[in-house]
Amino acid sequence: NTVELCQQWVEENQERFVRTQIITSDVNTGVSVNSNRGRDACKGEWIKGIAGDDLLMPNCVEDCVEYALEKNASCIFGKIEAFGENQEYAQYLTDTFSERNAYMSTLTNDALYDMIVKGDTPPAPAFFYRRKFFIDNNITNDVRIPMIEDLPKWLNLLNKGCEFQFLDKTIVKYRLGGISTSNQWQSPIAYDSQRKMFYYYQFEYLYKINPEHAIALIVDHESSIYQNLYNENHNLRNSKAYKLGRIILKPFNRIQRIWKRIMC
C-alpha cells in the first residue's frame, strides 16, 4: 500500500512544500528508470534524492545548499550515518564511507574515476546536485541497468568534467536491511544488472590496467551466478510441485525411453 501511504503523507504535509507530486508506475521499472522519472518531474534548482527507508538529517538541504553556493558546486556528496539491527556493521559502514569521502576529496578527477570504476564509490544516499548541470550535459541514469544507477552515473558525470565536492557533514541516515535491498540482490534482474554494469562500464577500463585481473572478475562473477542458479534449482527438487511434476511426467518418460530403443 505504498501509494496510499504516500497520498496520506502528502495530505498531512503538503503545506510544508511549494509543490508535491506522486508519480506511479504499473510495473516495477527499477531504480534507474524511477530516478530518471522523478528527476524529470522536478522543477527546482537543486535535487536531493531519498530512498523510502532512509532519513534526511534536519539540516540536510540547508547544509548542502550553503556548501554548494560557497564552492560553486554542481555535485555534492555528504556523509552518511548507517543504522539498523546490526549496529556493529552499521558503525563500520559509517566509518568506511566517512574515510572514503575524506580521501576522495583529495583526488583529481582522473584518480577519482580510477577509484570509482574499481568499485569504491561515494555514498549514493548522500548525493545532492544541481538540476541544470544534468540537463545541460544530458546526464541520465542508464536504463539498460535497471537495479544499479549510482556507479554508471558517477562515471558519466566525471566524463563530462563534473567536479565532485565532499561536504564534511552527515546529511543522511542510511538504513541497513530494507525489504527492497534484501530481496533485490537475490533476483535474476539484479544479477543481470551487475553483469551489464561490469561489461558496459568496468571491464574495458580494468582490462587495460590488468587483463588477468579483469578476466578473473568475470569468471568469479559468472561462477557466482551459476552457483546461485544451481542452488535455487537444487532446492526446488524438494518442493511438492517438483515431485508432483515427476509423477505426472513418468509415463511420458517411459514412452520416450522405449522410442529411443526402437530408433536405435
Side-chain angles (χ1 to χ4, degrees):
N1 60 335
T2 302
V3 176
E4 289 80 4
L5 287 172
C6 290
Q7 290 171 337
Q8 179 182 348
W9 189 90
V10 167
E11 290 175 3
E12 295 173 354
N13 296 278
Q14 59 184 343
E15 293 183 359
R16 300 168 59 194
F17 299 90
V18 175
R19 185 175 68 96
T20 59
Q21 183 179 352
I22 297 177
I23 303 170
T24 63
S25 174
D26 293 333
V27 297
N28 185 353
T29 55
V31 65
S32 296
V33 176
N34 283 346
S35 297
N36 285 340
R37 189 183 292 122
R39 197 280 310 278
D40 292 342
C42 292
K43 296 183 179 180
E45 183 178 355
W46 302 94
I47 295 178
K48 177 71 195 83
I50 179 72
D53 57 353
D54 294 343
L55 301 169
L56 296 182
M57 299 299 281
N59 295 323
C60 170
V61 175
E62 181 180 2
D63 288 342
C64 286
V65 171
E66 287 182 355
Y67 186 75
L69 296 176
E70 176 189 343
K71 298 292 186 179
N72 190 28
S74 294
C75 297
I76 294 173
F77 291 94
K79 296 164 68 176
I80 66 166
E81 177 186 322
F83 69 101
E85 294 182 2
N86 189 335
Q87 296 182 5
E88 184 177 349
Y89 180 66
Q91 187 60 52
Y92 165 77
L93 203 64
T94 299
D95 294 341
T96 297
F97 274 111
S98 179
E99 294 170 3
R100 187 179 297 174
N101 273 21
Y103 177 66
M104 285 183 166
S105 66
T106 68
L107 300 179
T108 64
N109 266 27
D110 287 343
L112 196 56
Y113 189 98
D114 182 76
M115 185 174 180
I116 291 176
V117 80
K118 293 176 181 176
D120 291 327
T121 66
F127 186 50
F128 182 86
Y129 63 97
R130 189 189 303 268
R131 184 170 68 97
K132 188 176 185 298
F133 184 90
F134 274 62
I135 295 174
D136 291 347
N137 291 279
N138 194 29
I139 299 291
T140 61
N141 295 313
D142 193 332
V143 298
R144 298 173 300 177
I145 311 175
M147 303 294 274
I148 303 173
E149 49 86 26
D150 48 359
L151 185 143
K153 180 162 57 184
W154 311 152
L155 297 180
N156 286 330
L157 282 167
L158 290 170
N159 279 329
K160 293 290 185 177
C162 181
E163 182 178 353
F164 291 174
Q165 298 285 347
F166 294 89
L167 170 63
D168 190 23
K169 287 186 179 181
T170 301
I171 62 172
V172 171
K173 296 189 72 172
Y174 171 62
R175 179 173 179 258
L176 300 175
I179 294 174
S180 59
T181 53
S182 62
N183 289 337
Q184 72 177 24
W185 297 117
Q186 303 301 322
S187 67
I189 192 173
Y191 283 117
D192 186 54
S193 290
Q194 289 178 310
R195 179 187 288 173
K196 287 179 178 177
M197 182 180 69
F198 186 76
Y199 290 156
Y200 294 158
Y201 288 92
Q202 296 176 281
F203 178 72
E204 183 178 1
Y205 186 88
L206 295 176
Y207 187 84
K208 291 178 181 178
I209 299 174
N210 188 330
E212 291 184 1
H213 177 63
I215 293 173
L217 289 175
I218 287 183
V219 173
D220 290 343
H221 183 61
E222 296 296 322
S223 297
S224 69
I225 292 175
Y226 292 123
Q227 184 65 42
N228 277 277
L229 289 174
Y230 171 78
N231 289 338
E232 181 180 340
N233 292 327
H234 185 70
N235 292 334
L236 286 175
R237 294 181 181 181
N238 297 321
S239 68
K240 293 181 180 179
Y242 180 83
K243 293 176 180 177
L244 180 61
R246 289 197 64 180
I247 294 174
I248 294 174
L249 293 174
K250 199 167 185 179
F252 297 96
N253 291 334
R254 287 181 178 177
I255 293 173
Q256 187 179 41
R257 287 196 295 269
I258 294 172
W259 179 253
K260 286 183 177 178
R261 286 200 295 269
I262 293 173
M263 294 300 293
C264 291

